[in-house]
Amino acid sequence: MAETKPPKVFISYSWDDDTHKQWVRNFAASLLEHGVDVTLDRWETVPGAQLPKFMETAVRENDFVLVICTPKYKEKMDNRKGGVGYEGDIMTGEIFVQGNAEKFIPILRIGEWEDVAPSTFMGKYFIDLHGEPYSEDNYQDLLITLFGIREKSRIGERFLIFLE
């Protein structure tokens, strides 16, 4: 059986406060434990690194971008401020040019979806990971999406059997 490559994921988030940054690190560590190849700024950059280049590469070269939605993230992305705003430009451009909207998976971390979803992601299916602890079922939904093992309809097979 052929060995499958782990999904490559970049986590886009705002540095809201130390508690939030620690949550993101723990979330990234959990993904690593479940076989996901995670790119996280705190692990990949060092003082003196070119942050715009890191963000461009991380958004473009990973299979998925997990967008950790909080009120501060929404404000920065919608107003194109700071690193989040820059990443927002890259994401929006990639969606527009490449048409690969499913690459970008919003994660509800804090608040209500209507209050924290950047306009780019407002109508998207999101993963709800708010609360302590967050829902294990929702986390599993994320993992099966990243690994491409979501349940699929077999209606085509049923239709062919019906015709026989």
Side-chain angles (χ1 to χ4, degrees), residues 13-14 16-17 19-24 27 67-71 73 106-113 116-117 126-135:
Y13 68 104
S14 57
D16 294 9
D17 56 35
T19 301
H20 181 61
K21 289 189 283 187
Q22 186 59 50
W23 183 91
V24 171
F27 175 62
V67 179
I68 310 300
C69 298
T70 65
Y73 190 95
I107 308 287
L108 172 62
R109 173 63 194 127
I110 297 170
E112 297 296 322
W113 183 243
V116 301
F126 63 94
I127 301 291
D128 185 346
L129 296 183
H130 82 282
E132 295 293 335
Y134 51 73
S135 163

Side-chain angles (χ1 to χ4, degrees), residues 21-90:
K21 289 189 283 187
Q22 186 59 50
W23 183 91
V24 171
R25 278 191 214 101
N26 293 342
F27 175 62
S30 180
L31 290 170
L32 278 172
E33 289 174 10
H34 289 102
V36 178
D37 182 358
V38 178
T39 299
L40 184 65
D41 60 352
R42 304 297 295 241
W43 296 343
E44 306 290 330
T45 61
V46 296
Q50 287 292 329
L51 296 178
K53 181 178 184 334
F54 165 77
M55 290 183 274
E56 292 167 9
T57 302
V59 170
R60 290 193 178 118
E61 293 185 2
N62 279 279
D63 302 321
F64 295 96
V65 176
L66 304 183
V67 179
I68 310 300
C69 298
T70 65
K72 286 185 182 179
Y73 190 95
K74 174 185 174 51
E75 178 187 348
K76 289 179 178 184
M77 185 163 177
D78 284 349
N79 294 307
R80 297 303 196 251
K81 292 182 180 178
V84 168
Y86 188 65
E87 288 172 5
D89 284 341
I90 300 163

